[in-house]
Amino acid sequence: MKTILAAYSGVLKGTGSSILSSLQDVPSALWPCSSKMEKHLQVISVLQWVVSFLAMGIACTLLLIYMFCTDCWLIAALYTAWLIVDWNTPKQGGRRSSWVRNWTVWTYFRDYFPIRLIKTHDLLPSRNYILGYHPHGIFCFGAFCNFGTEATGFSKKFPGIKPSLATLAGNFRLPVLRDYLMSGGICPVNRHSIDYLLSCNGTGNAVVIVVGGAAESLHCAPGMNSVTLKNRKGFVRLALQKGSDLVPVYSFGENDAYRQVIFEEGTCWRALQKRLQKILGFAPCLFYGSAWGIVPFGNPITTIVGEPITVPKIEDPTDEMVDLYHGMYIRSLQCLFDKYKTRFGLKESDILHIQ
């Protein structure tokens, strides 16, 4: 009881240091189990991101339509008018918020797996970069945590570099979700948006492109080391046109977040997935996780940022030039994978499959 009274007197003193020191003296038996509470917070932080990404845009669109039929129609009208005025902002660098990127919730998100970011080489603030992220996985947890938040300390590890994670342009047509994504520095993966970041936004920009995209997510499964890259050359051509250096990035454990039902090629279910992928822009995967089927498995994800490949600026690169740098990128990615694979649970005999 004396210890609790001492803590209370510390609160009355009003200084942050006295409050913390007094509370630290309270026996741990008087508090709920901190490890269990932290685990719950970690699950909630991951769940809010998954649900937000899957449902926030649709839910807010339906809410906006409903509000037009209520006494709140004026609020809906004002927001819609502002949405029209602000429509091109995602294509013009977005509206990132350091406050949102540094939310405490993202540290719980990071610690759930946990997610780590490893730097192998410096990135110069005087250059612009295109980071190719591999593999896609189901939700790109590693890409979001490392480049859409400051939970793993990107800005401290790469001072002077502003990361912009590129995702489906359709997400930026949905109310509220678009603002949520932009606050983390996330941008549409289209030509206008990336052109602006690499041409009209100075230097020190790093556009992160998940090269394999929706097609790659259909093949992801625990223990699978496969990337869709062989015929993906658009990002290399863009790097040449803008004179932006290429940086391979590989996340060990990204494919271990969920289990997926993979349909064989030629089946009607596989054909349906590919058809919906072309229509919607994303692949409707049949996946499941640990809790309620939607919470991912808590397996470590380690993201390695590789060595930059210096790229010259060529406004109209030939196909031969694109193939040359595309080949250099593939070899650099393979070397990155081979160098670090045994440190993160893989065997020396495991190889990276390029599709």
Side-chain angles (χ1 to χ4, degrees), residues 43 56 77 98 130 197 219 248 274 296:
V43 171
M56 179 186 281
S98 296
I130 293 180
L197 289 169
H219 299 280
K274 290 185 174 181

Side-chain angles (χ1 to χ4, degrees), residues 60-95:
C60 290
T61 301
L62 294 175
L63 178 63
L64 188 65
I65 294 171
Y66 171 74
M67 287 175 66
F68 274 109
C69 304
T70 69
D71 293 338
C72 298
W73 66 269
L74 182 59
I75 297 174
L78 289 172
Y79 180 81
T80 302
W82 178 82
L83 194 63
I84 294 170
V85 172
D86 193 59
W87 192 252
N88 289 324
T89 298
K91 302 176 186 178
Q92 298 170 351
R95 190 167 43 245

Side-chain angles (χ1 to χ4, degrees), residues 15 46 72 91 101 119 171 181 214 227 299-300 343 352 354:
T15 61
V46 173
C72 298
K91 302 176 186 178
R101 286 178 60 88
K119 168 185 175 180
N171 290 325
L181 295 177
V227 299
N299 298 316
R343 304 186 194 182
L352 180 63
I354 309 290

Side-chain angles (χ1 to χ4, degrees), residues 21 32 35 74 79 104 157 214 226 238 279 333:
S21 60
S35 61
L74 182 59
Y79 180 81
T104 303
K157 294 178 180 178
S226 175
L238 184 61
I279 296 172
L333 178 64

Side-chain angles (χ1 to χ4, degrees), residues 8 21 59 83 86 100 140 150 213 222 228 243 253 261 267 292 305 311-312 326:
Y8 182 68
S21 60
L83 194 63
D86 193 59
V100 173
C140 301
E150 288 296 331
T228 302
V261 178
T267 62
W292 309 300
V305 179
V311 177
H326 184 256

Side-chain angles (χ1 to χ4, degrees), residues 85-332:
V85 172
D86 193 59
W87 192 252
N88 289 324
T89 298
K91 302 176 186 178
Q92 298 170 351
R95 190 167 43 245
R96 79 173 57 226
S97 166
S98 296
W99 176 64
V100 173
R101 286 178 60 88
N102 284 282
W103 276 354
T104 303
V105 68
W106 305 132
T107 63
Y108 289 110
F109 182 99
R110 174 200 66 198
D111 294 339
Y112 173 80
F113 294 94
I115 296 174
R116 294 170 57 202
L117 177 66
I118 294 180
K119 168 185 175 180
T120 63
H121 292 79
D122 290 329
L123 298 184
L124 302 177
S126 59
R127 298 284 295 173
N128 283 329
Y129 299 90
I130 293 180
L131 276 61
Y133 184 89
H134 312 270
H136 185 286
I138 298 293
F139 278 107
C140 301
F141 288 118
F144 169 71
C145 186
N146 288 310
F147 307 114
T149 79
E150 288 296 331
T152 55
F154 181 92
S155 294
K156 292 180 180 177
K157 294 178 180 178
F158 299 98
I161 302 296
K162 289 187 298 182
S164 298
L165 176 61
T167 187
L168 289 174
N171 290 325
F172 296 89
R173 301 187 185 103
L174 301 174
V176 183
L177 176 62
R178 67 194 294 275
D179 302 290
Y180 192 31
L181 295 177
M182 281 194 292
S183 65
I186 300 174
C187 67
V189 62
N190 59 32
R191 184 61 183 252
H192 295 293
S193 174
I194 298 175
D195 271 356
Y196 182 90
L197 289 169
L198 298 179
S199 302
C200 308
N201 202 39
T203 59
N205 299 289
V207 178
V208 185
I209 300 176
V210 186
V211 179
E216 191 172 86
S217 65
L218 289 174
H219 299 280
C220 73
M224 182 172 289
N225 308 303
S226 175
V227 299
T228 302
L229 180 59
K230 190 174 293 184
N231 296 316
R232 301 292 174 104
K233 301 179 181 180
F235 74 104
V236 178
R237 184 179 296 277
L238 184 61
L240 285 164
Q241 290 173 337
K242 302 301 175 183
S244 301
D245 296 345
L246 289 166
V247 183
V249 179
Y250 195 88
S251 271
F252 293 91
E254 183 70 64
N255 285 340
D256 298 335
Y258 288 104
R259 309 290 186 266
Q260 181 181 188
V261 178
I262 299 179
F263 300 106
E264 293 184 8
E265 293 291 341
T267 62
C268 59
W269 292 110
R270 191 63 157 187
L272 178 61
Q273 281 182 315
K274 290 185 174 181
R275 180 65 177 170
L276 290 174
Q277 176 193 327
K278 290 182 179 179
I279 296 172
L280 302 174
F282 64 90
C285 303
L286 188 59
F287 63 89
Y288 61 95
S290 58
W292 309 300
I294 197 170
V295 178
F297 294 101
N299 298 316
I301 298 175
T302 305
T303 302
I304 316 291
V305 179
E307 181 178 3
I309 301 169
T310 303
V311 177
K313 184 174 182 179
I314 304 174
E315 291 187 4
D316 188 20
T318 62
D319 290 342
E320 290 76 14
M321 185 65 70
V322 172
D323 289 341
L324 173 65
Y325 280 91
H326 184 256
M328 291 170 61
Y329 180 87
I330 289 177
R331 288 191 294 274
S332 182

